[in-house]
Amino acid sequence: MAYRLKDNLSSQYFEAANALTSKHARRRIVAYVESYDDIYFWRTVLSKFENEKRYFEVMLPSKVNLTRGKKSVLMNFVGEHVGPDMIACVDADYDYLLQGITEQSRRVLNSPYVFHTYVYAIENFQCYAPSLHDVCVAVTLNDHRIFDFNDYFRQYSEACFPLFVWSVWAYRSGHYPRFSLTEFNRVVDPGGFAVSYPEKSIGNVQRKVRQKVRELQRQFPNNKEAYLKVKNDLLQLGVTPQTTYLYMQGHHLFDNVVAPIISKVCNLLRQERQNEIYHAQAHRTQKRNEMSCYENSLQDIKVMLKKNTAYQQCERFLQLQENVDRFLNQT
């Protein structure tokens, strides 16, 4: 028996609360998310579907004990609790790729009231390659395209893909203690990166991936058929060699791959703009004021990445919105 009000929170609770309002009032649908950072992302997902009849309220699962994380969302609200008026919104992690092999994967995939990102996490959307030039412009206020993010992350993904298949296989087959996600992240770290010679970091990843793949082939010599099955499954799920970065661990991609690259690109763009001001035909005081104005306008890279919403043209984001639209039409 539940003795506290929060123990009785369910879709039926919010449905009853909606019924007590005026018949002209908008229906409230509560969307529970994993963390504070997720609130803004899921707002960008759901706001499209608000109208004069309904609106969404995105919140954390508990305001009392500050519980956060996917397990809190799922364990507390999946089952009898979620419904037309209360949904759960989570990162896919590997649960989408595991396709119901684990209990958590089944909960994420099978409930019509649980929505997931398809890509590993919201950070992967924030690192969506076609949007990264816009992030650099937001940081430096310089629109000069000095680096091709699309081409780099295409090559980076292709370099990572053979090992990524092994990673998913390890988690599907229960061999992840022998090849963990942490180990995968270590191997695919680009290491030293230079804007002028990005191919060197790609070559470094390719070399490390080949070495690790040979090591895994020695450890699991009879695994070719299982490997090819996982590879074909991933292709069927929409994971391509050119988009592998979207399905890698989001925090690692954000902190250890994308942010360092953007930092070096932005440093060059910032220097370029500062040189333009320094060499301008103007009085010294005017140039000093202009430089001060420019430097005060610069933004923090990670803050701008977290505010990046240009991922909304990403195929997986549109697929996520299609799922929300289908859910609303059915309810």
Side-chain angles (χ1 to χ4, degrees), residues 176-190:
Y176 55 86
R178 299 177 67 180
F179 183 43
S180 67
L181 199 53
T182 300
E183 176 68 7
F184 172 81
N185 290 337
R186 185 191 64 79
V187 175
V188 300
D189 193 319

Side-chain angles (χ1 to χ4, degrees), residues 134-159:
D134 291 354
V135 174
C136 291
V137 175
V139 172
T140 66
L141 305 180
N142 186 345
D143 199 15
H144 185 193
R145 291 182 181 269
I146 64 172
F147 187 73
D148 190 338
F149 288 103
N150 291 345
D151 184 60
Y152 180 84
F153 280 100
R154 176 186 61 79
Q155 293 185 59
Y156 176 72
S157 293
E158 290 172 348

Side-chain angles (χ1 to χ4, degrees), residues 131-323:
S131 72
L132 295 182
H133 173 71
D134 291 354
V135 174
C136 291
V137 175
V139 172
T140 66
L141 305 180
N142 186 345
D143 199 15
H144 185 193
R145 291 182 181 269
I146 64 172
F147 187 73
D148 190 338
F149 288 103
N150 291 345
D151 184 60
Y152 180 84
F153 280 100
R154 176 186 61 79
Q155 293 185 59
Y156 176 72
S157 293
E158 290 172 348
C160 297
F161 184 72
L163 192 60
F164 181 75
V165 177
W166 275 101
S167 177
V168 176
W169 168 83
Y171 278 82
R172 283 189 175 192
S173 62
H175 287 95
Y176 55 86
R178 299 177 67 180
F179 183 43
S180 67
L181 199 53
T182 300
E183 176 68 7
F184 172 81
N185 290 337
R186 185 191 64 79
V187 175
V188 300
D189 193 319
F193 171 85
V195 177
S196 302
Y197 304 101
E199 63 275 6
K200 288 187 177 181
S201 70
I202 297 296
N204 185 39
V205 173
Q206 290 172 334
R207 176 186 58 79
K208 292 191 294 179
V209 165
R210 285 195 298 266
Q211 181 178 348
K212 187 63 181 181
V213 166
R214 287 195 294 267
E215 178 185 324
L216 290 167
Q217 288 172 340
R218 288 193 297 269
Q219 290 182 27
F220 304 98
N222 301 315
N223 198 51
K224 182 176 180 180
E225 184 176 342
Y227 175 90
L228 292 176
K229 182 182 184 306
V230 172
K231 178 181 178 181
N232 290 331
D233 285 349
L234 292 179
L235 294 174
Q236 290 293 319
L237 291 172
V239 181
T240 69
Q242 294 74 34
T243 59
T244 310
Y245 76 100
L246 291 174
Y247 304 91
M248 295 164 48
Q249 189 179 52
H251 283 296
H252 175 81
L253 180 73
F254 188 103
D255 292 326
N256 301 100
V257 182
V258 174
I261 291 175
I262 288 186
S263 178
K264 293 189 176 183
V265 172
C266 287
N267 284 340
L268 292 177
L269 291 173
R270 186 181 299 114
Q271 292 170 10
E272 183 180 80
R273 180 67 76 221
Q274 290 170 336
N275 288 336
E276 289 176 359
I277 297 172
Y278 180 78
H279 293 291
Q281 296 294 324
H283 189 274
R284 182 182 302 174
T285 301
Q286 183 179 354
K287 289 195 289 186
R288 186 167 57 247
N289 291 339
E290 183 71 13
M291 187 73 76
S292 177
C293 179
Y294 174 66
E295 291 177 350
N296 288 335
S297 300
L298 298 176
Q299 301 294 327
D300 180 79
I301 290 171
K302 289 191 174 182
V303 171
M304 288 298 100
L305 267 175
K306 288 185 177 182
K307 291 184 177 180
N308 177 26
T309 60
Y311 52 73
Q312 295 187 43
Q313 296 307 311
C314 177
E315 181 180 354
R316 286 308 200 189
F317 184 87
L318 297 175
Q319 186 177 4
L320 170 56
Q321 287 193 318
E322 288 176 5
N323 290 344

Side-chain angles (χ1 to χ4, degrees), residues 40-57:
Y40 180 60
F41 170 79
W42 286 99
R43 165 52 45 191
T44 68
V45 174
L46 300 170
S47 59
K48 171 185 176 181
F49 303 100
E50 294 183 327
N51 54 33
E52 69 281 358
K53 295 183 179 180
R54 62 172 174 261
Y55 72 97
F56 292 88
E57 184 175 355

